[in-house]
Amino acid sequence: MMKLAMRALLIALLLLPAVASHAWQNSSQGASQESAAETQARIDAIARELERRQAAMQQRARELSTTERQVQQLDKKIAAVASELAELDDALRRTQQRINNLEQQQRQLRDEQAEQQQWLAKQVDMAYRIGEHDLLKLILNQEEPAEFERLHGYYGYFNRARLAKLDALKATQRELAQVTAQVTSEQQALAQQKATQEQQRKQLETQKTEQQKLVRRLNQEQRQDQSRIAQLEQDQRELEEVLTAIIAALRDEPQLNGLTRLKGQLSWPAQGSVQRIFGRSRSGGVKWKGILIDASEGTPIKAIADGRVIYANWMRGFGLLLVLDHGDGYMSLYGHNQTILPNVGEVVRRGEEIARVGQSGGRESPALYFEIRVKGDPVNPTQWMR
């Protein structure tokens, strides 16, 4: 699985120059077109840089325990279902909005229909009252021709008005029937979507229960492992190697402006409480190179600044890990995600939702692991937040 992840990283980084060129074509003023030879040379350089590190990472990947592999696979399944639920939630909102609009239209048509019916009722009553002068008697009695002409005109006017209103009433009734049918259809679609949503939520809960069992088993195995400190150091070295490969691949290719001007003005990536402080010791003296933010499962995680996704995959010790390149040697890292929304190579904007808080990578409770790096070196994220 780690071999596949490494290959995915290799392919993603190989594609980064083309993706970045397309994404920033409009915003990069004065940037010259690279020749095909220069582009190929950079791709070859990236490939060589990653190949030098691939052997060591594949060797460590073989050391993953069976439980860790199961956690990795289940984390990805949960991420997929959570992503489907997010899309379904959006579809439900859109369907409900259509139903609300149709029901409003339905109420307006019913009001219009009632108004038309009242008008016709008044016309029938008026026709009855006029009938006291019996048009037939006036026709037979030619002694008052002026009166005959006047009433004959009234009768013609009222008849035409009634016929027009009857036509309008029929049209309203037809339109009302169509809207009513649409409401019924949309309500049926909404019910089906809710049923699908409930089924997926149950599936997610089942997977989360299984995840908790695997996490407990994994933690038990790790507690019995006397090399816990070595494992923490190994996890950190593996992350360092990935970041070193990314930095090497991206050198001489500044696409963004970095975070220098934003220091002290950045918003926190997720709402929660900071439980692990940068620079403090973990187990066995291994220090935190970022912070851990406790948050509810599914809490949106937002990009701290404009950036480009350069890594989005599962990594031991960090679960589903997302890395953003902000340019000028600045990066931000987001770990233990439940799901990752953008793909490698995509450009994201400041404040855009990029992931959701989870507990992937063997955590017993949901949290976000967050780092800021400057040219590969970790810095205290709290000094950059407002």
Side-chain angles (χ1 to χ4, degrees):
M1 184 62 69
M2 182 58 71
K3 184 176 181 180
L4 293 175
M6 190 62 197
R7 287 179 180 173
L9 174 60
L10 174 59
I11 294 171
L13 288 176
L14 290 177
L15 292 176
L16 276 178
V19 175
S21 175
H22 175 72
W24 292 93
Q25 183 175 7
N26 296 329
S27 61
S28 300
Q29 298 179 355
S32 61
Q33 293 286 340
E34 292 182 330
S35 67
E38 290 173 339
T39 301
Q40 187 60 49
R42 186 168 65 253
I43 290 175
D44 293 341
I46 293 172
R48 289 193 298 271
E49 188 70 30
L50 290 174
E51 285 174 356
R52 284 195 292 269
R53 291 168 172 82
Q54 188 175 18
M57 293 185 68
Q58 287 178 342
Q59 177 60 35
R60 281 194 294 275
R62 297 188 189 100
E63 299 172 3
L64 279 170
S65 71
T66 301
T67 304
E68 286 175 315
R69 290 192 181 94
Q70 291 174 340
V71 169
Q72 176 187 16
Q73 293 170 359
L74 190 56
D75 285 346
K76 292 187 175 182
K77 288 181 181 179
I78 290 176
V81 174
S83 179
E84 291 174 1
L85 275 174
E87 294 176 0
L88 187 55
D89 286 341
D90 290 338
L92 282 171
R93 284 191 291 271
R94 290 193 298 269
T95 300
Q96 186 61 58
Q97 184 59 49
R98 288 197 300 271
I99 289 176
N100 293 342
N101 294 339
L102 286 171
E103 287 178 342
Q104 181 179 1
Q105 185 179 357
Q106 190 180 50
R107 288 191 294 271
Q108 291 174 348
L109 287 171
R110 284 175 176 165
D111 292 342
E112 185 176 345
Q113 177 181 253
E115 182 179 348
Q116 290 168 340
Q117 288 173 337
Q118 290 176 359
W119 190 93
L120 284 171
K122 290 179 180 179
Q123 289 298 307
V124 170
D125 180 66
M126 186 177 295
Y128 174 78
R129 295 177 184 277
I130 293 175
E132 293 178 356
H133 299 282
D134 197 345
L135 182 61
L136 179 60
K137 292 180 180 180
L138 290 173
I139 292 173
L140 297 176
N141 184 6
Q142 298 296 323
E143 294 178 0
E144 300 179 6
E147 182 69 11
F148 168 76
E149 290 296 334
R150 182 176 64 83
L151 291 179
H152 185 268
Y154 286 162
Y155 272 101
Y157 168 76
F158 288 129
N159 284 334
R160 287 192 298 273
R162 280 196 296 272
L163 289 174
K165 281 295 183 179
L166 283 172
D167 289 340
L169 177 59
K170 290 177 181 178
T172 300
Q173 289 173 335
R174 285 193 298 270
E175 188 176 358
L176 179 59
Q178 292 175 354
V179 171
T180 301
Q182 287 180 323
V183 170
T184 301
S185 176
E186 292 289 350
Q187 287 175 337
Q188 291 173 349
L190 181 63
Q192 181 61 41
Q193 288 172 337
K194 287 183 176 179
T196 303
Q197 182 190 51
E198 182 61 27
Q199 182 179 0
Q200 289 183 330
R201 289 194 187 282
K202 289 180 179 178
Q203 181 183 355
L204 182 59
E205 289 301 321
T206 300
Q207 290 176 336
K208 285 164 59 178
T209 301
E210 184 179 353
Q211 182 191 48
Q212 290 290 339
K213 292 179 181 178
L214 288 174
V215 168
R216 285 193 293 270
R217 189 200 309 171
L218 176 60
N219 288 339
Q220 183 178 2
E221 292 174 359
Q222 290 175 338
R223 283 192 294 269
Q224 295 171 351
D225 186 359
Q226 299 300 319
S227 61
R228 173 60 175 162
I229 297 175
Q231 181 178 330
L232 286 172
E233 293 173 343
Q234 178 179 320
D235 291 344
Q236 191 63 50
R237 283 197 303 271
E238 189 165 301
L239 177 61
E240 295 290 347
E241 288 187 8
V242 171
L243 293 177
T244 302
I246 292 172
I247 292 170
L250 294 175
R251 64 176 175 265
D252 301 325
E253 191 192 22
Q255 298 293 337
L256 298 162
N257 298 323
L259 303 177
T260 303
R261 297 181 180 179
L262 299 175
K263 188 171 184 179
Q265 303 176 28
L266 297 174
S267 299
W268 290 93
Q271 293 185 351
S273 57
V274 177
Q275 298 299 322
R276 298 292 183 269
I277 306 301
F278 174 85
R280 290 189 180 177
S281 296
R282 301 172 67 179
S283 301
V286 178
K287 293 185 177 181
W288 287 95
K289 297 192 175 183
I291 59 174
L292 198 64
I293 302 174
D294 283 353
S296 301
E297 184 176 33
T299 297
I301 300 171
K302 299 181 179 180
I304 60 171
D306 293 352
R308 180 182 54 196
V309 180
I310 53 178
Y311 188 83
N313 213 323
W314 193 93
M315 179 173 291
R316 182 169 57 186
F318 301 92
L320 288 175
L321 177 67
L322 174 69
V323 181
L324 294 182
D325 168 35
H326 301 290
D328 200 23
Y330 287 87
M331 296 181 187
S332 57
L333 290 73
Y334 311 80
H336 301 308
N337 301 304
Q338 181 189 69
T339 186
I340 295 174
L341 302 180
N343 297 315
V344 171
E346 289 187 17
V347 174
V348 298
R349 298 299 182 186
R350 181 177 183 178
E352 179 179 341
E353 184 177 351
I354 54 175
R356 293 186 179 177
V357 172
Q359 54 191 84
S360 60
R363 282 197 53 79
E364 293 185 349
S365 60
L368 168 64
Y369 179 71
F370 176 59
E371 281 190 21
I372 293 179
R373 297 259 176 154
V374 182
K375 300 187 185 305
D377 296 326
V379 296
N380 190 347
T382 58
Q383 296 177 355
W384 294 76
M385 302 294 123
R386 65 184 179 202

